[in-house]
Every structure is written in C-alpha cells, then in structure tokens.
Amino acid sequence: MPKSNSSRNGEKFDKPDRTLDFHSMSTDSPVTILTRDIEAIQIPSGLTKKLDKGTPVIITQALGGTYTVVVEHSAGLFRVLASDADALGKVHTEAPAAKNGTGKTDGPLNEDDIWAQLKTCYDPEIPVNIVDLGLIYSLEIKPQEGGGNLVEVKMTLTAPGCGMGPSIASDAQRKILTVPGVTDAQVDVVWDPPWSAERISMEGKQKLGMV
C-alpha cells in the first residue's frame, strides 16, 4: 500500500517505502528462485501478474499463510498466496479450524474463533494482523433459517483507495469460512470513518516500535 503518515496526539505511523534495493537486501534475506510459474498480486495496485519460473525473489514477509516478495527485475512487491507456497519452497499448513470443514459442526458458533481467524490475516506490508491494526470496524453473526450462520464483517485499510482491499478481504472471508458453524461470510471494505493510527492495539504498537 502507499506510504502513509498518520499522526495524532504525538503518535506517528510510517509505512515503509515500496522502492526496495534488491541487492542491499540479499545479504540478510536469501534469494529464492521460483520453481514454477505463479499468479501473484502486485502491491499496491491489487492487479494479478504472472511471475515466471526461475524468477529470483526475496521473501520480505511470511505471515498468515501469505507471502510478500520483492522481485529483482521490477523492484516491485507482490503477494503470493498460500496455494503457491510450494513455488517458494514453502509448505503451507491450514489452520486447525479448517480441518472441521465449513459449517459442518453441531453446537453454537464461538465468536472468539472468528476473531482468532481474523488475527491470521495481515496487511502485506505490515507485520501486524488486521485486528491489531484496527482495521476491523464491525463483526455480526446472523443465524440462518436453514441452519448455520452468516458472518458479516466491515473492515478498512490504512490507505484510502488501496488496491489490495479485495485481496485482504478475500483472505479474511476464506478464513472465516473455516470456523465451525459458519456457512457463509461477507467481508466489505469501507472508508468511513477514516482509519488512523490511534486504532492500533497496544500489542500492535509494540510490534511496530510505536511505544
């Protein structure tokens, strides 16, 4: 997402520049060669682009089953989904809740399980989950007539108009659907009220070095 500076009450939140020096990173971050062609999501546009087999990349973030990589020839950032982890030489394991199957359980839905899944979703440029970043504005559970539950979530992003919204929302929706008792999920990106760094949790601020 674009670099943004948000400050209130003396707090400042800076997102890192996306213009990265591939070679300067290589000493501490080993280069990974893609073992097959993949479709990756360009950051911050949200557009899908093919990355060819043999392309050298550096993994800059690996959280929640998704990977952020910088590509040498384009000096650009891309999000690689869990389904393509093998191309990076990684093995992705689904969260335990997914083993129960979508909506295939008896008993009441545990809202804490939904929040736990949302905490496995990350902004591709910030190593803090979307809950601790304060991106979740609301979460509603609506029992359905035929059984199961619809979960409706409204969330925002740290930068208005960022093209990564659909990707992050899709990740959140997919993970909500792994929670036992959930039969449908809807995640909408909204911009009102505007997000500010004040919404970041204390844990998130600690991870970002803001306290």
Side-chain angles (χ1 to χ4, degrees):
M1 295 182 189
K3 181 176 180 180
S4 62
N5 298 322
S6 299
S7 60
R8 288 188 183 180
N9 299 329
E11 290 184 324
K12 185 176 182 181
F13 175 66
D14 294 329
K15 295 191 68 172
D17 288 317
R18 295 190 309 277
T19 304
L20 301 174
D21 187 331
F22 184 90
H23 296 289
S24 69
M25 296 174 61
S26 300
T27 301
D28 299 322
S29 303
V31 176
T32 297
I33 305 299
L34 293 182
T35 60
R36 62 176 175 83
D37 295 348
I38 64 172
E39 296 289 331
I41 302 170
Q42 193 169 31
I43 302 169
S45 70
L47 299 176
T48 299
K49 181 177 180 180
K50 179 183 176 183
L51 298 182
D52 296 326
K53 176 181 177 180
T55 298
V57 303
I58 288 177
I59 299 173
T60 62
Q61 181 169 293
L63 294 167
T66 62
Y67 302 84
T68 300
V69 303
V70 59
V71 179
E72 180 177 24
H73 63 263
S74 67
L77 284 176
F78 294 84
R79 166 171 272 197
V80 177
L81 302 181
S83 56
D84 291 315
D86 63 293
L88 297 170
K90 303 294 182 181
V91 177
H92 174 66
T93 302
E94 285 288 349
K99 298 178 181 179
N100 296 314
T102 303
K104 304 298 185 180
T105 186
D106 296 325
L109 172 63
N110 187 341
E111 183 175 335
D112 289 343
D113 290 341
I114 301 174
W115 286 106
Q117 285 299 310
L118 288 174
K119 282 193 171 186
T120 69
C121 301
Y122 290 81
D123 179 296
E125 297 180 88
I126 308 173
V128 176
N129 66 71
I130 61 176
V131 175
D132 284 325
L133 271 179
L135 300 185
I136 304 300
Y137 281 172
S138 68
L139 187 159
E140 292 186 58
I141 298 172
K142 298 182 177 180
Q144 301 298 287
E145 289 185 4
N149 298 274
L150 164 66
V151 176
E152 294 183 343
V153 170
K154 293 189 183 300
M155 63 169 290
T156 193
L157 302 175
T158 60
C162 175
M164 292 303 295
S167 175
I168 298 174
S170 177
D171 187 31
Q173 180 188 44
R174 179 180 63 82
K175 290 181 176 179
I176 291 170
L177 286 169
T178 68
V179 176
V182 175
T183 51
D184 196 6
Q186 180 176 328
V187 180
D188 296 319
V189 177
V190 299
W191 304 107
D192 187 27
W195 178 89
S196 76
E198 291 179 348
R199 296 187 57 87
I200 303 176
S201 71
M202 183 56 65
E203 181 179 352
K205 289 178 179 179
Q206 289 173 343
K207 289 182 179 179
L208 293 171
M210 297 174 67
V211 292

